[in-house]
Structures are given as structure tokens and as C-alpha cells.
Amino acid sequence: MAEPLRLLMLCMGNICRSPMAEGALRARLLQAGMADEVQVDSAGTGGWHAGDPPDPRAIATAAAHGVDIAMLRARQLHVADFDRFDWILCADRDNLLQAQARRPVTSHGRPALLLEWVGRRVRREVPDPYAGGPRDFARAWALVDDAAVRIVARVRAGQV
């Protein structure tokens, strides 16, 4: 069996978008019988929420779709992540720029915009729902879940 693809979902604080993206992808991989083919984790560019669970609104949004992310804990992006993961998939351009700035020249992990990496042509960023309400979290979930569906399709097609 080939080594699994290793993906790190990245947002600012690792309490909203990236844990929802991690949960959505884990659920879609499990549903597709592909859980062993991709390793998934999430992190934030900032460390101020390290050790905290996801935002209660993110937990509720994921739960409304049958996905439990309550056990996840926030952590900050580390330099070692660029060698542990094949791709660091960023929620937005600010996080992409921060990841690119931290990436060691010799590492193999490559930062990219999550939605762009999965082939979305219209909306290329997942907006941060933190300052918003339920609709903002629902919109973010729809985008990360769509990305998860596209990642499963990419892996199945061998396009990684």
C-alpha cells in the first residue's frame, strides 16, 4: 500500500474554518471507504487558541451535518509541519502568505489555497465566520464540505 497523502488544513486560530475542514474531510473519506488513504490534521497560523476546542458555533454547524469535531484541539502551525504534510491547505490568502513565509526552503510540504487546490474557480477563499452568525458558519461549512468532496474525487482519480 502506498503512503497516505498528508493534508493539513490551515486557518488563523484553528477554531472555526480549519477544524470544520478537517472534520468534513475525515467524514467524506470515511464515507468513501478511503480513511486510510489520507491523513488529515488542522492548525492555525496564530497560537492564541492552542489547546482550545473549536468554537461552539463550528461544533454546532458540523454536528448539524452529522460530524463531531468537539474532540479536536487547536494548535499552531509548526515548521516541522512542512515536512510532516504534503500540502498545507489554507482557508484564505492571508494564511497562505503566512504559511509561505514560514516554509523552510528544503521542506517538501507545499502551501496552497484550499478552494483553489480543489479546483474551485469562482470563490477561492473560505471567509472567516468568527465575527458572524449561524449563516456565516453555514456558508463556511458548505465551502469546506464541497472541498472535502472534491479532495475525495482527486484522491480517487490519482490527481494528487
Side-chain angles (χ1 to χ4, degrees):
M1 180 176 183
E3 287 230 0
L5 176 67
R6 295 164 302 171
L7 302 177
L8 181 67
M9 304 300 173
L10 186 73
C11 71
M12 187 166 48
N14 193 212
I15 61 167
C16 296
R17 296 171 289 175
S18 57
M20 287 195 300
E22 178 183 353
L25 182 53
R26 285 181 187 274
R28 292 294 184 173
L29 288 165
L30 190 62
Q31 184 181 52
M34 299 169 61
D36 293 337
E37 295 179 44
V38 182
Q39 291 178 355
V40 186
D41 196 2
S42 61
T45 54
W48 52 92
H49 293 294
D52 292 346
D55 184 291
R57 299 167 295 173
I59 292 171
T61 301
H65 295 277
V67 178
D68 183 6
I69 62 170
M71 81 303 278
L72 299 179
R73 293 297 175 262
R75 71 177 189 84
Q76 187 172 12
L77 176 69
H78 298 287
V79 171
D81 288 328
F82 291 94
D83 285 322
R84 287 183 51 222
F85 294 93
D86 301 305
W87 290 95
I88 290 83
L89 299 175
C90 306
D92 61 36
R93 290 196 191 291
D94 289 339
N95 289 293
L96 174 62
L97 292 172
Q98 288 192 42
Q100 289 170 332
R102 296 177 193 185
R103 180 181 184 259
V105 176
T106 59
S107 67
H108 80 275
R110 295 164 287 191
L113 278 175
L114 169 62
L115 298 183
E116 195 170 88
W117 190 79
V118 299
R120 284 190 62 108
R121 291 193 167 95
V122 178
R123 178 176 284 277
R124 301 214 175 166
E125 294 183 304
V126 179
D128 192 348
Y130 184 76
R135 273 194 283 168
D136 300 292
F137 278 85
R139 188 174 306 121
W141 176 267
L143 291 168
V144 300
D145 188 49
D146 178 67
V149 168
R150 290 168 182 254
I151 290 170
V152 168
R154 263 187 88 162
V155 172
R156 187 172 275 139
Q159 299 175 339
V160 287

